[in-house]
């Protein structure tokens, strides 16, 4: 297997520093966070989804992207995927990201599907997502860059089986799925090997992180009530200590013959960025063998 990071986890590192650290610790790839940072957060402390210094702007020029590609080449890094933040149905952003991915050498981009918030029925959200995927498939054929949805809590593809239902029938060379066991701690857990088998040819990429369940101060209600605070909540956790048993996940990946990318995105804040980059890859490599 090959190792990369999703640079949302290195918010305190510039693009140059990120590339330098990845080379130093033995990573082969970088999955760039591809979006425009909120300019109002520019003077804030670096953070995962705020002032993230390891972000490639979505409005980067061809010249700027060429400079990033040169930075990657100098560090011996590939781009397994471009981690774009694209809303469902935004075809202009989809095409822009595909063009950027091609320039950076990335074979795929991440695209979005609707969140499920109970304001609209699932069937309507499903139809909307399928319509968008049909257009994304056409753009993929045009630009030679695959579009991948992510198994993610909160959206209508929160499990492997829900993701497979969404992409079923599309060309797996054009439409794929990012498998993310860490997200499935929050919502969507299925037995790992079964989920991977369900995804079948649509499995394109794997994200590596962990999460935990924490007991809150809320008391158990005498009767069920929608406005009662939950007794348990999910939160990000250290890779070795969370609810995801990574030895089992790695074993399942090996059993199905997966030999692709493992892309780390540790949001635990349990250690400095450089320490996490060093220790996480060492831990997963020890499991892969």
């Amino acid at each position: 297997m090959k190792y990369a990071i999703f640079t949302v986890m290195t918010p305190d590192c510039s693009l140059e520093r990120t590339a330098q650290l990845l080379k130093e610790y033995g990573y082969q790839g970088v999955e760039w966070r591809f979006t425009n940072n909120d300019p109002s957060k520019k003077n804030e402390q670096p953070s995962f989804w705020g002032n993230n210094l390891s972000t490639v702007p979505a409005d980067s020029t061809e010249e700027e992207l060429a400079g990033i590609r040169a930075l990657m080449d100098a560090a011996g890094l590939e781009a397994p995927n471009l981690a774009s933040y694209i809303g469902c149905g935004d075809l202009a952003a989809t095409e822009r990201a595909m063009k950027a991915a091609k320039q950076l050498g990335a074979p795929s981009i991440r695209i979005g599907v609707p969140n499920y918030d109970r304001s609209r029925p699932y069937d309507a959200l499903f139809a909307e997502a399928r319509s968008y995927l049909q257009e994304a498939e056409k753009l993929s054929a045009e630009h030679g860059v695959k579009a991948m949805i992510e198994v993610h809590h909160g959206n209508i593809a929160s499990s492997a089986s829900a993701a497979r239902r969404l992409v079923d029938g599309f060309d797996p060379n054009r439409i794929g799925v990012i498998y993310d066991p860490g997200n499935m701690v929050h919502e969507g857990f299925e037995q790992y090997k079964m989920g991977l088998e369900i995804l079948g040819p649509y499995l394109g990429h794997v994200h590596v992180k962990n999460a935990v369940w924490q007991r809150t101060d809320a008391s158990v209600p005498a009767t069920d009530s929608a406005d009662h605070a939950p007794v348990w909540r999910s939160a990000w956790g250290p890779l070795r200590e969370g609810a995801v048993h990574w030895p089992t996940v790695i074993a399942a990946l090996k059993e199905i013959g997966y030999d692709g990318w493992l892309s780390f995105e540790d949001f635990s804040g349990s250690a400095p960025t450089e320490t996490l980059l060093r220790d996480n890859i060492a831990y997963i490599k020890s499991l892969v063998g």
Side-chain angles (χ1 to χ4, degrees), residues 1-6 9 27 29-31 80-81 83 108 110 146 148-151 160 176-184 192-193 195-197 199-200 202-210 239 244-246 248-254 256-266 284 288:
M1 300 184 197
K2 295 185 288 186
Y3 306 96
I5 69 155
F6 176 9
M9 76 166 282
Y27 291 86
V30 56
E31 185 179 3
N81 180 61
S108 61
R110 183 178 66 168
K146 183 188 290 190
M148 295 205 293
I149 67 171
E150 182 176 359
V151 174
V177 176
I178 300 170
Y179 183 69
D180 193 317
N183 286 342
M184 290 160 48
Y192 302 124
K193 186 179 179 185
L196 293 167
E197 290 173 336
L199 289 177
Y202 294 100
L203 173 63
H205 192 57
V206 177
H207 278 169
V208 181
K209 61 175 178 283
N210 220 324
L239 191 58
V244 178
H245 189 244
W246 275 101
T248 301
V249 178
I250 296 299
L253 288 166
K254 292 169 76 171
I256 67 161
Y258 181 79
D259 196 30
W261 287 95
L262 301 176
S263 186
F264 296 80
E265 49 170 354
D266 191 329
I284 294 297
V288 172

Side-chain angles (χ1 to χ4, degrees), residues 34 58 82 84-86 91-104 106 108-111 145:
F34 184 74
L82 188 62
S84 43
Y85 291 73
I86 298 172
L91 296 178
T94 303
E95 186 165 32
R96 182 167 60 247
M98 285 183 175
K99 289 179 178 178
K102 198 160 188 176
Q103 192 167 355
L104 294 173
S108 61
I109 65 168
R110 183 178 66 168
I111 62 172
V145 175

